[in-house]
Amino acid sequence: MKNSSTQDERIAKMSFASVYPHYLTKVQKKGRTKEELHRVIKWLTGFDDKKLKQMIDDNVTFETFFKKAKLNPNAHLITGVICGIRVEEIENPLTQKVRYLDKLIDELAKGKALEKILRK
């Protein structure tokens, strides 16, 4: 699936810290916890709580966030539609990683069991 390069650039330059509160609000509104959110982020990125806090405090872009991440080897198992686009068909690697994160957070907010979200 082809995304516009303008959209890819916008996503790359977007601050993770600016989006994180929206992720947290989304999952908490649905009865999930900050700890569950962090567990999902840790699974995808390899970041522990300290490193995640540092990323937020440093106001890093998604580009930097994912450059410093160690993507889970099972991330390719994340499939489905986010924002009307199949995540497995996204051509830009960074945009795909951001959409992987979006998809995991959507699944968490929809009540999916953590064992199923954290693909093995």
Side-chain angles (χ1 to χ4, degrees):
M1 182 85 207
K2 198 143 179 108
N3 277 349
S4 74
S5 62
T6 306
Q7 181 185 5
D8 291 335
E9 290 170 23
R10 184 181 59 79
I11 289 171
K13 302 304 177 206
M14 191 179 303
S15 159
F16 175 77
S18 70
V19 179
Y20 174 81
H22 300 288
Y23 290 154
L24 185 57
T25 299
K26 180 176 191 167
V27 300
Q28 287 179 330
K29 272 186 179 178
K30 299 294 185 166
R32 303 307 286 258
T33 66
K34 179 179 180 178
E35 290 73 26
E36 289 173 310
L37 173 63
H38 284 203
R39 188 163 170 207
V40 167
I41 294 170
K42 179 181 180 178
W43 178 86
L44 182 63
T45 64
F47 296 150
D48 59 16
D49 285 336
K50 182 180 176 185
K51 185 69 172 175
L52 181 57
K53 182 180 181 332
Q54 180 186 353
M55 294 285 141
I56 294 167
D57 291 347
D58 291 349
N59 202 33
V60 299
T61 63
F62 271 108
E63 184 174 33
T64 301
F65 183 83
F66 279 106
K67 272 185 185 173
K68 294 186 179 206
K70 185 174 182 179
L71 202 66
N72 188 295
N74 288 334
H76 71 280
L77 298 174
I78 302 168
T79 60
V81 178
I82 192 80
C83 299
I85 299 171
R86 295 206 66 80
V87 295
E88 61 272 25
E89 295 175 3
I90 297 172
E91 293 176 1
N92 181 286
L94 175 61
T95 300
Q96 186 177 50
K97 291 171 189 171
V98 173
R99 295 305 184 199
Y100 281 163
L101 181 58
D102 291 343
K103 182 67 179 165
L104 295 176
I105 291 167
D106 271 4
E107 291 175 355
L108 184 63
K110 289 179 180 173
K112 194 170 185 178
L114 272 174
E115 297 75 35
K116 295 207 182 251
I117 295 170
L118 310 179
R119 284 124 171 114
K120 301 198 181 198

